[in-house]
Amino acid sequence: MANERVKFLDTTLRDGEQSAGIGMTGDEKMEIARQLARLKVDIIEAGFAASSPGDFQAVTDIARQVKGPIIASLARAVPNDIDQAWAAVKHSEAPRIHVFLSSSDIHVMHQLRKNREEVMDMAVAMVSRAKGYCPDVEFSPMDATRTNPEYLFQMLAAVIKAGATTINIADTVGYAIPSAFAQLVRDIRAKVPGADKVTISVHCHNDLGLAVSNSLAAVEAGARQVEGCINGIGERAGNASLEEIIMALDTRKDLFKVDIGVDTTQIYPSSRLVSRITGMSVQANKAVVGENAFRHASGIHQDGVLKDRSTYEVMRPERVGVPGSSLVLGKLSGRAGLQARLEALGYKLSRDEVSKVFESFKALADKKREVTDRDLEILMDEEKRVAGEPASYTLQHVQFVGGDGIPTATVRLTGPKGETLSDACTGNGPVDAVCKAIDRVVGASGKLVDFNVQAVTEGLDSIGTVTVRVEKGGNIYTGRGASTDIIVASAKAYLSAVNRFLAADEAATLPAVGTTPD
Ligand code: KIV
Ligand code: ZN
């Protein structure tokens, strides 16, 4: 008998984006969506269309342009959200509306301030409304794991009758324990009329560190859709790590006996991309995609792996797309060597693009003895960032004088009309002085609320990536910059955030587009 298939819904662009401090541009979301299509997830939850004009546009663009997976938008159980979700996803060849509504008494009484009957009526009415637009409707009872089971079963039966095709059991606050969660899935299958006609999905948060275990227990109990995010990003402690669930089902197929449609070799490129775009680094010992996931340190392990890799590896690095042994690139390397390495890392470049990157590569190789894969990723990211960003201002030069005197920074920028602008400022430290000097040049200032430096490679000549979050007018803007000089990287990162808030200010003065269903 053929195995059943488990589908994956990736919500990196929706729940993942809800991680504290993450804000992605439309272009960045599109880039992730395209990568998720290469990964062959079954459903991409592209956003929450009604939440903002930016999200509406991002979901619309992804629905129009990304082919392969189903494209879903989240919607609260209110008419306008459903209408907006449909207006955005209807452009997809395979659209889905995902309606959610709280079901636990804690949420129903304290957050919604309604009673169970009223909430039940809302759920049914809004699933019917969604069904009027779209054949594929998912319904999520929010906080399902803290919901009275009998009420949960009644609600699920009612929304199935109203047309839901997927029912998603949300462990919204990461409260579930694998054995109890699996039992809940079994009870739903046994007690909810119509449950055998729809897909049972699970959506687990990681507050107790159990999101992946709960998801896998649910699959064993019969769930056939799993939701999660790349690198496990998401609200609070995050969502279930999609790559861990995928690799558990793949590696232990003997046990789970289910098929998946994912191209596992796209896992590592997906993880790197999400980490770079969100600025959320992946811990070195993270399962499947961490830097140490396939490194063997102890002598006994090394000896075993050299004789036969299966002695200490349950999956092969190639299976998740980790590129093979790193060829060392340096200042004597040529265009062909660079191109070959970039291709191994998953970048497909035209001859012109290679020539452009080659210049930056040479400049970097002059400063660094070895240019590693991580350096190349940063280089590519910088190229793409600079090309795709709303760049009113670009950095020409930054100089800093510190020591035990007064920290002073001078910056020279190219302005929106190509003019050269410069100014200097003192500050209480190098980064503060640089940001203030930039503020003076552009005539606007944001509040630096987060500043994160990451050394990309080991050694004193390593590239540092700086990610900043800048608050302006109640919104958070992210900026990234990379350089072998940390002050230069900081200036680039801050300027990138400044360009973003200047572009948003400008957009806000234009009439809003695309927020009403057509
Ligand atoms: O965690 C949650 O309950 C959600 C729902 C919207 C599915 O993200
Ligand atoms: Zn969630």
Side-chain angles (χ1 to χ4, degrees), residues 321-374:
V322 171
S325 69
S326 301
L327 183 93
V328 177
L329 293 175
K331 65 179 174 187
L332 298 179
S333 306
R335 221 169 280 250
L338 174 66
Q339 182 163 10
R341 195 65 210 148
L342 286 173
E343 272 169 17
L345 291 171
Y347 297 100
K348 301 197 182 3
L349 302 183
S350 67
R351 187 192 279 259
D352 282 357
E353 286 168 329
V354 174
S355 299
K356 220 163 143 247
V357 180
F358 189 63
E359 280 174 34
S360 320
F361 164 75
K362 278 294 191 191
L364 178 63
D366 268 344
K367 294 189 192 141
K368 277 193 100 240
R369 211 166 30 89
E370 276 179 19
V371 179
T372 64
D373 289 350
R374 286 288 167 92

Side-chain angles (χ1 to χ4, degrees), residues 411-488:
V411 296
R412 192 160 67 223
L413 310 184
T414 307
K417 299 187 188 101
E419 72 278 34
T420 293
L421 304 160
S422 49
D423 213 327
C425 200
T426 57
N428 57 21
V431 176
D432 188 47
V434 164
C435 296
K436 285 183 173 149
I438 290 176
D439 287 348
R440 284 173 77 126
V441 175
V442 305
S445 67
K447 186 167 166 228
L448 192 61
V449 290
D450 194 12
F451 177 81
N452 189 298
V453 186
Q454 245 187 304
V456 175
T457 43
E458 288 148 18
L460 288 174
D461 61 355
S462 104
I463 293 195
T465 307
V466 172
T467 307
V468 297
R469 299 186 205 289
V470 174
E471 197 261 333
K472 173 83 176 157
N475 293 319
I476 298 286
Y477 298 87
T478 312
R480 281 198 313 281
S483 170
T484 48
D485 183 311
I486 214 67
I487 303 297
V488 177

Side-chain angles (χ1 to χ4, degrees), residues 305-323:
V305 168
L306 287 172
K307 289 173 178 150
D308 185 325
R309 287 170 64 173
S310 66
T311 49
Y312 290 97
E313 273 179 6
V314 295
M315 59 197 148
R316 303 291 291 262
E318 307 88 79
R319 184 93 186 126
V320 300
V322 171

Side-chain angles (χ1 to χ4, degrees), residues 11 14-15 18 45 48 74-75 98-101 107 138-144 168-174 203-205 227 235-236 239:
T11 183
R14 198 277 299 168
D15 221 335
Q18 286 174 225
E45 186 159 67
F48 183 173
L74 188 68
H98 177 186
V99 185
F100 75 100
L101 181 60
H107 281 212
E138 173 168 337
F139 177 79
S140 294
M142 187 152 81
D143 205 17
N168 180 41
I169 313 310
D171 186 25
T172 306
V173 290
H203 175 109
C204 299
H205 279 267
E227 305 195 351
E235 280 276 356
R236 307 179 309 278
N239 285 64

Side-chain angles (χ1 to χ4, degrees), residues 43 116 146 244 323 327 337 459 499:
I43 305 111
R116 285 185 184 176
R146 293 192 300 169
E244 293 181 18
L327 183 93
N499 277 327

